[in-house]
């Protein structure tokens, strides 16, 4: 059974639409919604290996597809057929692109297409019972295969993003430290030159001063 449905822009993770009735009968709904938002955040940073993926999270699976810089994500029971979950997402994608395609890039506020919930709820009902003739036909459709879609664990996926962020942060820190050390090295070299030539400059200055005074007196 479909538990959650969320749509977000991949470039910045901005949520565009969501199933408003989703999660009412779901324990820890806020926890799983937060996980979904973290996944969107990772995707916006380029931390994705495939345009279609299934992600294990507790007793559920997140399934998502990325198309046209938009991520369509749903969370289903583990027992819910993967094939139906992805066909559900395909239906959402086709309608969302048809209705809102030319406004996706210019959307500036979260949930700019919240009215799309009407279509989400209507479509979700069609996929509710896996034994209907319509859904059985979809399950038997050999042209739509999902066997090769990668399955990962949610902690593994989110962990990849965190590790990459740490590497990026370390790289920035090393660059910053290198600049600091370079500046310090220049200061030390300058001080060494001053210490080396200062006595000579003082002697020359004294000699010139004495020479000037001598000429002044005479």
């Amino acid at each position: 059974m479909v538990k959650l449905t969320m749509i977000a822009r991949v470039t910045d993770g901005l949520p565009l639409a969501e199933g408003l009735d989703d999660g009412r009968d779901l324990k820890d709904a806020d926890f799983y919604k937060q996980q979904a938002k973290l996944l969107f955040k990772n995707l916006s940073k380029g931390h994705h290996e495939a345009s279609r993926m299934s992600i294990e999270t507790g007793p559920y699976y997140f399934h998502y597809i990325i198309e046209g810089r938009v991520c369509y994500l749903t969370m289903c029971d583990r027992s819910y057929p993967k094939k139906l979950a992805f066909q559900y997402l395909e239906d959402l994608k086709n309608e969302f692109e048809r209705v809102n395609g030319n406004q996706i890039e210019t959307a500036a506020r979260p949930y700019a297409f919240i009215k799309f919930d009407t279509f989400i709820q209507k479509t979700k009902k069609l996929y509710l019972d896996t034994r209907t003739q319509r859904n059985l036909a979809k399950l038997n459709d050999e042209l739509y295969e999902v066997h090769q879609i990668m399955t990962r664990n949610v902690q593994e996926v989110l962990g990849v993003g965190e590790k990459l962020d740490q590497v990026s942060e370390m790289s920035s820190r090393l660059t910053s430290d290198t600049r600091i050390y370079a500046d310090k090295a220049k200061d030390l070299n300058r001080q060494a030159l001053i210490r080396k030539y200062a006595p000579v400059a003082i002697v020359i200055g004294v000699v010139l001063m004495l020479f000037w005074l001598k000429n002044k007196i005479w």
Side-chain angles (χ1 to χ4, degrees):
M1 182 178 177
V2 173
K3 297 291 185 180
L4 294 175
T5 304
M6 302 176 77
I7 301 172
R9 191 165 57 197
V10 173
T11 48
D12 55 6
L14 183 75
L16 301 174
E18 182 179 311
L20 296 180
D21 290 337
D22 290 354
R24 289 187 179 180
D25 61 340
L26 176 65
K27 185 181 178 182
D28 298 326
D30 289 340
F31 170 77
Y32 290 110
K33 285 185 178 182
Q34 187 60 33
Q35 275 195 338
K37 288 176 181 178
L38 286 172
L39 288 170
F40 290 143
K41 182 180 177 182
N42 267 16
L43 291 172
S44 72
K45 295 176 180 179
H47 302 161
H48 56 90
E49 303 169 31
S51 60
R52 282 162 171 71
M53 186 179 285
S54 296
I55 301 170
E56 298 176 278
T57 175
Y60 306 105
Y61 273 108
F62 283 120
H63 304 286
Y64 74 70
I65 63 175
I66 297 173
E67 193 97 14
R69 297 185 181 181
V70 176
C71 180
Y72 304 85
L73 179 144
T74 188
M75 189 180 79
C76 307
D77 293 310
R78 277 179 174 266
S79 59
Y80 192 79
K82 189 175 182 179
K83 201 168 190 177
L84 286 184
F86 278 96
Q87 289 191 318
Y88 166 67
L89 292 174
E90 289 282 354
D91 286 353
L92 296 186
K93 174 189 73 72
N94 292 337
E95 182 65 9
F96 193 79
E97 285 181 346
R98 187 186 70 81
V99 176
N100 304 307
N102 59 352
Q103 304 172 59
I104 293 169
E105 290 297 326
T106 56
R109 58 185 174 84
Y111 303 105
F113 310 108
I114 199 64
K115 291 181 180 179
F116 192 70
D117 168 67
T118 304
F119 184 82
I120 291 175
Q121 299 305 328
K122 183 176 72 174
T123 308
K124 191 165 73 170
K125 287 177 182 176
L126 295 175
Y127 284 86
L128 193 61
D129 187 352
T130 60
R131 296 165 297 178
T132 63
Q133 190 153 355
R134 173 186 178 277
N135 288 335
L136 287 173
K138 285 183 175 291
L139 285 170
N140 292 324
D141 183 1
E142 294 181 0
L143 295 177
Y144 194 89
E145 289 299 334
V146 295
H147 298 300
Q148 295 183 359
I149 293 177
M150 190 184 303
T151 299
R152 301 281 296 276
N153 179 272
V154 70
Q155 295 303 326
E156 184 184 1
V157 172
L158 294 179
V160 166
E162 290 169 5
K163 287 172 186 174
L164 288 173
D165 282 344
Q166 288 171 5
V167 170
S168 178
E169 185 180 343
M170 287 173 64
S171 176
S172 299
R173 196 181 303 135
L174 285 170
T175 302
S176 177
D177 289 346
T178 301
R179 287 174 182 166
I180 292 170
Y181 293 144
D183 290 339
K184 285 184 177 178
K186 287 179 182 177
D187 289 339
L188 288 172
N189 287 334
R190 195 178 300 117
Q191 290 172 18
L193 288 171
I194 290 171
R195 283 196 298 269
K196 182 177 179 180
Y197 294 109
V200 176
I202 291 169
V203 170
I204 293 173
V206 170
V207 170
L208 289 173
M209 180 65 71
L210 291 171
F211 183 75
W212 180 79
L213 286 172
K214 182 180 177 182
N215 289 335
K216 195 78 172 172
I217 294 169
W218 290 99

